[in-house]
Structure formats: structure tokens, C-alpha cells
């Protein structure tokens, strides 16, 4: 196992992203955007819970800190998990296909890899959608001095949801398990709707408080 | 000068973002999202220019690579520049104000700091808006195998534009130079419109090609 992407410096990560190396790609960039959103969520929450003025919201803010810290760690890990999921698909396609047995084994491995490479962005989108909603909530009840950070968290989280799901959609096209594909498509629609609503709500609240 | 934020590992950057430390905040997170978008733009462009099939677009794709590489470096530097801009404002507010002379000098320094802290997100938004537009163009003419990465680049770039501008808007409220404020507000409107249009265009093209 080579060095983790999350252990690279920000500068080196960006340089590798900008190269023609297959990973990190859009999935890893989406996971990083989601992790950034989670970081902003907990920053705003911490700048709220430390102030007497918002003591009434302290129990809920502590829940948000816990959820945000967890999501940040999950999404950071997802940067590398997404690269591994890509490799799972590629390793299937590289298998030999000279005999009918090899062809069948290869097809099975490709289908397994495609499911892993669909689950990975779905997982990024699930946690990022939650971050978009928590950001919208913080725009309402959080420290107004950090209102622009709450708004930015919602923007980045929504982009992470949609970006991750674009990656997932590619793999769905080649998946043959109809029930799985239908369930995944339904969840994708729901995640996009949740994230879009949260972004709109957070942005409206933020612009209103900034005005 | 302490260690650059861009020299931290991705993991350490995210942990500091999630803490209650004042920087990095929404500005730095937006700059990173913009740099991520720039990285995806050059990745898609490099995966296009290396293929014979797209040779007809090679001169334009090379321009996009040049613009994307430049933007990635500018936006990476902006992660730290944004933290310095925040410090410029804070150092003004920390100045003594016991005498009328001190008060006047402090007010001047705060106004100077606020302009720096408005220029920083504007600069992030300018380069990110360009990335959103190049991503939309790549969704049209780029290698369709990387179509989801082009779409993701547009999503992240648009979020970077709007996120950065939310930070800039905070400082505009306290700026007293009316001409500067009016010009900045006009540019903000224009940047948001460019980024929103590019995001819509890129997303429509991406979803159409993925269908």
C-alpha cells in the first residue's frame, strides 16, 4: 500500500489531482469538499458552544460537533477509499478473458468492483448531505459571527453530494443487478433533493443575516 | 511566519479547519475547493490532449491546461493569503485607541485590513469562476470518459465562488469607501452569475452524456 492521499500535503494532493494520474479524481475531490464542509460545520459549532449567549442551544450544538467530527474523519478516509474503489474496477477489467471460464470470472469481478465503486460515492454523498443539513441548521442557531462559514459549509457539502453522485452514476450504467441499481437511483434522487434544499435554506439565511 | 497551511497534510489541514482556530475558515476552505476544481480541470484536459481522437481541440485544450495550472497555484496560495488577510483585519482591531490620534490611526488600519480581506475572497472567486467556465467547456469538448470529473469541477468551482464571496460580503459591510464597495458589489454579482451559469451548463451536459 502506497502513501495515503490524506497524508500528502495539500499542495502535493492538488498537484497529483491536476495530473493525468487516474486517482485522485472527482470522487476524491468530492470527498475532500465534504470533509471541508464537515470541518466548517464543527468550527462554527465550536465557536457557538463556547459562548454563553448560545447556551440554550448547547445540547444540540454538541450533537452537531459529534456528527461533524465523525463525518470529517469518514470523508477524509473516503478520499483514499474512493481511489481503492476505482482500482477494484480496473483490476477486474485487467483480468484475462481467453477462455469462457476466464470471461465469466472476469465479469463477476467487474460487477463486484462496480458495486464497490458505487457504494463509495454514495457513502460520500450520505455524509455530505448530512453536513449540508447541519450547516443549514447552524446558519439558524449558530454564532452569527461565523454565519458566512455556515453558508460556505452548505455550499461545499452540496457540491460534494452532487459531485460524488456524478461519479456513482457512471458505474450504475454498467451494473447488471437491477434491484441494486433501482435502489441506488432512488437514494441518489433523495440525497440530491436533501442537499439542494439544505443549500437553498442555508444560503437564504446567510444572505439575510449578512444584509 | 508559521508553517504554510498548504504544506500541512490534508488530514492536519482538515483537523485545524474543524477546530475553533480562526484560520483556516470559510475563505481558506473556498480557496481549497477552487484549487480542487482547477486540479480536476487540468486532469480532464490532460486526459483529453493525450488522445488522438480529440486532436482537433488540442490547441484550445493546451490553453485550458495553462489556465488551470496557473489557477491551481494561485488558489493554493490563496489558502494562506486568506489567513493573512484575516490577520490584517484583526491586527487593526487590536491597536490601542486611548487618544484621538490612536483612534484615527486604528480606523485607517482597520479600513486597510478590510480592503485586503475583501480583495482576497474576490481573487479566489475570480479564478474559481474561470474554472467553472473551463469545466463547462470541457464537459462539451473534453474526453467523455472523464465527463463526471468535468461536472464535479464545475460544482466545486461554483461553490468556491459563492463561498468566497460570502466571506467578502462580511467585510464590505464595515468598509467606508463607497466607490470601492459599489465596484466590489457589482463584481460579486457578475461573478456569481458567471459561476451559476457555468455550473448549470456543465451539469446539464454531464447528465446528458451520462444518461
Amino acid at each position: 500500500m502506497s502513501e495515503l492521499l490524506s497524508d500528502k500535503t495539500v499542495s502535493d494532493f492538488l498537484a497529483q489531482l491536476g495530473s493525468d494520474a487516474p486517482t485522485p479524481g472527482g470522487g476524491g475531490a468530492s470527498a475532500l469538499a465534504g470533509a471541508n464542509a464537515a470541518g466548517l460545520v464543527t468550527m462554527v459549532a465550536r465557536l457557538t458552544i463556547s459562548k454563553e449567549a448560545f447556551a440554550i442551544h448547547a445540547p444540540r450544538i454538541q450533537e452537531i460537533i459529534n456528527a461533524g467530527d465523525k463525518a470529517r474523519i469518514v470523508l477524509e478516509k473516503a478520499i483514499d477509499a474512493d481511489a481503492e474503489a476505482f482500482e477494484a474496477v480496473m483490476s477486474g477489467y485487467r483480468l484475462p478473458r481467453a477462455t469462457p471460464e476466464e470471461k465469466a470470472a472476469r465479469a463477476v469481478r467487474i460487477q463486484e468492483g462496480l458495486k464497490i465503486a458505487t457504494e463509495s460515492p454514495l457513502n460520500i454523498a450520505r455524509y455530505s448531505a448530512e453536513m449540508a443539513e447541519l450547516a443549514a441548521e447552524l446558519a439558524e442557531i449558530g454564532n452569527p459571527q461565523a454565519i458566512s462559514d455556515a453558508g460556505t459549509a452548505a455550499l461545499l457539502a452540496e457540491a460534494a453530494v452532487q459531485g460524488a453522485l456524478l461519479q456513482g452514476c457512471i458505474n450504475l450504467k454498467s451494473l447488471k443487478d437491477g434491484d441494486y441499481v433501482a435502489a441506488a437511483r432512488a437514494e441518489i434522487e433523495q440525497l440530491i433533493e436533501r442537499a439542494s434544499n439544505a443549500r437553498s435554506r442555508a444560503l437564504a439565511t446567510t444572505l439575510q443575516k449578512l444584509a
Side-chain angles (χ1 to χ4, degrees), chain A:
Chain A
M1 176 89 208
S2 60
E3 188 195 6
L4 288 175
L5 291 167
S6 58
D7 284 340
K8 287 185 181 293
T9 67
V10 169
S11 185
D12 288 346
F13 177 89
L14 290 169
Q16 187 171 332
L17 181 66
S19 76
D20 59 3
T23 59
S30 299
L32 178 53
N36 263 305
L40 286 173
V41 159
T42 64
M43 181 184 91
V44 176
R46 289 192 162 96
L47 292 173
T48 304
I49 207 165
S50 59
K51 301 281 184 302
E52 266 303 319
F54 310 107
I56 188 176
H57 294 305
R60 176 60 187 148
I61 299 290
Q62 187 57 55
E63 287 176 0
I64 294 177
I65 290 174
N66 297 346
D69 279 341
K70 184 183 172 194
R72 194 188 77 242
I73 289 164
V74 168
L75 289 164
E76 179 188 316
K77 289 202 174 123
I79 300 170
D80 283 281
D82 196 76
E84 287 163 30
F86 180 86
E87 187 46 41
V89 179
M90 288 300 116
S91 70
Y93 280 113
R94 280 192 297 261
L95 288 176
R97 48 178 163 171
T99 67
E101 290 75 23
E102 280 181 356
K103 274 188 190 161
R106 179 173 175 273
V108 169
R109 277 281 298 280
I110 289 173
Q111 289 295 310
E112 287 171 356
L114 286 169
K115 271 196 192 169
I116 294 170
T118 306
E119 275 307 312
S120 169
L122 268 175
N123 197 45
I124 294 167
R126 284 178 199 128
Y127 279 93
S128 299
E130 187 191 3
M131 291 306 104
E133 289 174 339
L134 294 184
E137 190 175 347
L138 285 173
E140 293 283 351
I141 66 169
N143 186 337
Q145 289 204 301
I147 184 69
S148 63
D149 300 301
T152 301
L155 289 160
L156 296 180
E158 192 265 352
V161 170
Q162 297 236 39
L165 294 177
L166 289 180
Q167 314 299 320
C169 285
I170 290 188
N171 300 310
L172 282 183
K173 277 172 60 175
S174 310
L175 266 170
K176 299 201 162 101
D177 179 344
D179 289 348
Y180 178 86
V181 170
R185 286 206 190 281
E187 187 175 2
I188 286 172
E189 266 187 47
Q190 190 203 32
L191 288 167
I192 288 178
E193 196 184 335
R194 279 175 56 197
S196 298
N197 287 344
R199 172 183 150 132
S200 299
R201 218 164 69 234
L203 212 47
T205 308
T206 302
L207 292 172
Q208 185 197 322
K209 290 196 181 178
L210 281 178

